[in-house]
Amino acid sequence: MSDVKVGRSSPWAAPLIHMIPQRVRMEILLTGNPISAHRAYEIGLVNRPAEPDELLPVALDLASTVLAGAPLSVRAARETVMLATEMGRPARRGAGLSQRGRAGGAGGFRGEAGAAGAGE
């Protein structure tokens, strides 16, 4: 993350907008100072810190947990997160509601959406 120290821009940093607070993002980008794995975990940039020899077992454990979920619900949750990072706030809300309907666990939402959109 030393782009600022060598006179380059940081196009890779755009996703940080959705990942870490602005004040932390500014410090990282404006100083070009590296951050430790512990600090990356503290600010939410890393989900699960692991020692190098533990990386594969930790990743496989996470993958097993995801695979144990209901496939349609996992897919809907992933799509909602992906849409939310690409859209503005109003579109996120609508996307979230439509994803709940797809997962099949939104009995009340279907009724509410139908009532709200009855004139459509």
Side-chain angles (χ1 to χ4, degrees), residues 2-53:
S2 62
D3 296 329
V4 71
K5 292 182 177 185
V6 295
R8 292 185 303 198
S9 65
S10 306
W12 56 266
L16 293 178
I17 292 169
H18 304 288
M19 300 170 78
I20 59 177
Q22 180 181 2
R23 59 187 168 70
V24 176
R25 191 170 60 245
M26 292 293 284
E27 178 183 343
I28 292 169
L29 295 174
L30 297 180
T31 65
N33 292 336
I35 60 172
S36 67
H38 178 73
R39 179 67 176 142
Y41 177 71
E42 288 177 339
I43 63 175
L45 193 56
V46 172
N47 291 348
R48 299 175 186 217
E51 295 297 324
D53 60 329

